């Protein structure tokens, strides 16, 4: 059974940093595309960063320049390092995956598989 499990969320002070992790399991034929999204209550889920299996990446304007997305050597763990966090970054952060193809897109409809999320709270 395919599964995505996020970790690394928590509470952090304004200006701080976090490194989120997403461990994938059950993907027998690899993971073409893995991405990070976040959701603030009352708002639409927002794509933040995506990585394909070759290491190509794309970032949303909201995190461009202060975030880094990468995978481990086995390509089964996705990381998201975010710096210069502000209270506006407080949200539930989700990992998503598409095992078949990758267009480096940030739309949630591109990803059939989702984790349960990890909460990030930034206090001022």
């Amino acid at each position: 059974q395919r599964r995505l499990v996020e970790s690394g969320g928590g509470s952090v002070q304004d200006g701080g940093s976090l490194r989120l992790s997403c461990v994938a399991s059950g993907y027998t034929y690899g993971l073409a595309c893995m991405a990070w999204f976040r959701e603030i209550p009352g708002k639409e889920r927002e794509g933040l960063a995506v990585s394909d299996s070759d290491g190509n990446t794309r970032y949303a304007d909201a995190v461009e320049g202060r975030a880094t997305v990468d995978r481990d050597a086995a390509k089964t763990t996705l990381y998201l390092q975010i710096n210069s966090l502000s209270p506006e970054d407080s949200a539930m952060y989700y990992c998503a995956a598409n095992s078949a193809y990758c267009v480096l897109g940030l739309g949630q409809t591109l990803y059939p598989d989702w984790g349960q999320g990890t909460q990030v709270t930034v206090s001022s």
Side-chain angles (χ1 to χ4, degrees):
Q1 183 177 355
R2 300 187 297 194
R3 192 177 181 205
L4 300 171
V5 179
E6 304 95 333
S7 63
S11 297
V12 64
Q13 292 290 315
D14 191 357
S17 300
L18 277 177
R19 183 169 172 84
L20 306 180
S21 300
C22 170
V23 177
S25 59
Y27 289 87
T28 305
Y29 301 105
L31 276 160
C33 214
M34 296 183 77
W36 285 102
F37 287 75
R38 69 183 178 189
E39 186 171 337
I40 299 169
K43 295 189 177 181
E44 189 173 343
R45 192 168 292 189
E46 172 187 27
L48 299 177
V50 55
S51 168
D52 69 11
S53 57
D54 293 324
N56 298 301
T57 58
R58 178 187 173 192
Y59 297 90
D61 290 344
V63 296
E64 181 78 61
R66 63 187 182 98
T68 302
V69 63
D70 62 322
R71 298 202 208 181
D72 68 342
K75 308 294 185 183
T76 57
T77 300
L78 181 73
Y79 302 99
L80 180 68
Q81 173 80 30
I82 310 180
N83 303 318
S84 303
L85 287 162
S86 73
E88 288 70 36
D89 293 310
S90 296
M92 184 70 80
Y93 284 70
Y94 295 92
C95 175
N98 186 321
S99 61
Y101 66 92
C102 192
V103 296
L104 291 178
L106 294 174
Q108 51 182 312
T109 59
L110 293 170
Y111 301 92
D113 302 329
W114 292 82
Q116 293 300 306
T118 185
Q119 178 69 41
V120 172
T121 302
V122 184
S123 56
S124 57

